[in-house]
Amino acid sequence: MDEKSGMNFSEYVAILSGNTELLEKARIEKKIAALDSEKQAFTRGKSVSRYKLENIMQTVESNKGYIDRISKDVEAFNSRVQVAPDGTRLNPVKLDGFQAADPVAIGKKLNEISDKARTHGAHEKIGSLYGFDLLVKSETTNKDGFDLIQNRFFIRGEGQILYNYNYGSLAADPKTASLNFLNALDSMPKLLEKYQTDTDKRMQDVPVLRQVVEGIWAKENDLKDLKTELTALERRIELSLKPIEQSEGQENVSEKNQVQAQNSPESTVNQGGPMPNTLQGVKEVMGDRFVIASVGSSPPKEERRGMKL
């Protein structure tokens, strides 16, 4: 069989049988199988699209939450930030329990906290800046069998989002260290843009995915009609085969009855009754099986061969 011909085994059998209804049945079954396969692929694609759509919408909703919270923090910072006469922003960091306001002194104090703080994984408040909380967190890592503690610094606003600069590590220079939290607040616009860009990119796929999820397979009626046609055709084939089966059964019964009739005692010549005592009477009973011939002199040997009297 040539796999490129598109014919299956049932079609070959139908062709060889010479039954056009069987051939039509094979062709319909082939169409139904193709449509079933297409429907399964459509269903799988619809399921995958639904999963992707749900995932996108969950991420978009999460991004929207971050955008709203960051936007509030940006608005709060812009409304509170103080600017010097030369246009530079002031850095009025206030550390809890520390009175000095000099940037260098603040930087030294922050480095001291970085060396000595032990928060055991919690975020501990150490001060404030423009209404935002300044936090430190001790993180423990293991290297060569020894526990190493690193303190990281964050700033948190009303949106409860943690912003950091340089991954939360302080600079060794005190003045630069004091600017850590102000630099962390500068990351808010970029972070806001990141979530908004990710949302816009994901939303581009939503219309197509929704169309697939809400779509209906266009060939559903075609498949239904083919199945109905196949059922009717199978019924016609079944009905066309019944007379043949019944005829074969009747022939078998007739042959059996004939054999039984020949072998039964009733099939003998006299059928249990007395044989007539005249040749004419025997002739009437035997019919063509009884021949009356004259018996005279013996016939030649070649003519006697095979004769029965």
Side-chain angles (χ1 to χ4, degrees):
M1 297 182 184
D2 184 3
E3 61 181 8
K4 296 181 180 180
S5 68
M7 297 183 69
N8 55 35
F9 181 73
S10 61
E11 286 180 300
Y12 280 100
V13 172
I15 290 175
L16 294 176
S17 70
N19 190 324
T20 58
E21 288 188 333
L22 289 178
L23 178 59
E24 182 64 19
K25 178 176 180 291
R27 289 176 178 173
I28 293 176
E29 287 175 340
K30 183 178 178 180
K31 290 181 180 179
I32 290 176
L35 288 178
D36 278 335
S37 178
E38 184 177 335
K39 182 178 181 180
Q40 291 175 4
F42 176 83
T43 303
R44 287 194 299 269
K46 192 171 184 177
S47 177
V48 172
S49 297
R50 181 181 291 106
Y51 173 78
K52 289 182 178 179
L53 180 60
E54 291 176 353
N55 193 335
I56 287 176
M57 298 312 297
Q58 289 177 359
T59 302
V60 168
E61 189 66 22
S62 176
N63 287 351
K64 184 177 180 298
Y66 283 117
I67 291 172
D68 291 342
R69 291 154 65 188
I70 295 173
S71 297
K72 290 180 180 180
D73 288 339
V74 171
E75 183 179 355
F77 174 70
N78 291 334
S79 64
R80 300 169 187 169
V81 65
Q82 302 174 14
V83 182
D86 60 358
T88 59
R89 294 175 304 178
L90 299 180
N91 184 35
V93 174
K94 297 179 181 180
L95 298 179
D96 295 342
F98 190 72
Q99 301 299 324
D102 179 64
V104 175
I106 290 175
K108 289 181 179 180
K109 181 63 176 178
L110 288 173
N111 278 318
E112 180 183 342
I113 294 173
S114 179
D115 292 336
K116 298 181 179 180
R118 297 294 182 268
T119 67
H120 307 287
H123 291 88
E124 186 175 299
K125 184 176 179 298
I126 60 173
S128 63
L129 173 64
Y130 291 127
F132 290 77
D133 294 334
L134 308 183
L135 308 171
V136 62
K137 177 185 177 183
S138 300
E139 296 181 351
T140 304
T141 58
N142 187 280
K143 184 177 181 180
D144 299 329
F146 296 94
D147 290 337
L148 300 179
I149 297 177
Q150 179 184 11
N151 285 306
R152 301 178 61 196
F153 293 84
F154 304 88
I155 185 168
R156 181 180 62 194
E158 296 178 2
Q160 300 299 308
I161 294 178
L162 300 174
Y163 306 102
N164 68 81
Y165 175 75
N166 193 29
Y167 301 103
S169 299
L170 290 178
D173 176 65
K175 188 174 182 180
T176 304
S178 68
L179 294 172
N180 182 278
F181 301 106
L182 190 61
N183 291 333
L185 291 176
D186 287 338
S187 68
M188 290 189 298
K190 293 182 179 179
L191 194 59
L192 187 64
E193 182 181 359
K194 172 188 173 183
Y195 284 113
Q196 187 62 57
T197 300
D198 182 68
T199 297
D200 294 340
K201 182 178 179 181
R202 292 176 183 273
M203 287 300 294
Q204 292 177 357
D205 298 331
V206 170
V208 176
L209 291 173
R210 279 181 176 168
Q211 185 177 1
V212 174
V213 170
E214 297 173 0
I216 300 175
W217 191 51
K219 299 181 181 179
E220 186 67 47
N221 290 334
D222 295 342
L223 179 59
K224 183 178 179 180
D225 292 342
L226 283 174
K227 289 184 177 181
T228 301
E229 184 178 353
L230 178 61
T231 301
L233 183 58
E234 288 176 340
R235 180 60 178 166
R236 290 201 304 270
I237 294 174
E238 181 181 357
L239 292 176
S240 67
L241 294 177
K242 279 187 176 181
I244 297 177
E245 296 174 354
Q246 294 173 356
S247 177
E248 291 176 351
Q250 291 174 357
E251 290 177 0
N252 292 336
V253 173
S254 178
E255 292 176 358
K256 183 177 179 181
N257 291 339
Q258 290 178 5
V259 173
Q260 290 177 349
Q262 292 175 2
N263 295 333
S264 64
E266 296 178 354
S267 64
T268 58
V269 175
N270 56 14
Q271 300 181 356
M275 178 64 69
N277 55 5
T278 63
L279 292 177
Q280 186 62 34
V282 174
K283 171 64 176 175
E284 292 177 357
V285 174
M286 297 295 292
D288 294 338
R289 290 176 294 172
F290 181 76
V291 178
I292 301 176
S294 62
V295 180
S297 59
S298 297
K301 293 182 180 180
E302 61 273 19
E303 294 180 0
R304 191 188 307 141
R305 185 178 304 167
M307 293 180 65
K308 293 183 180 179
L309 297 179

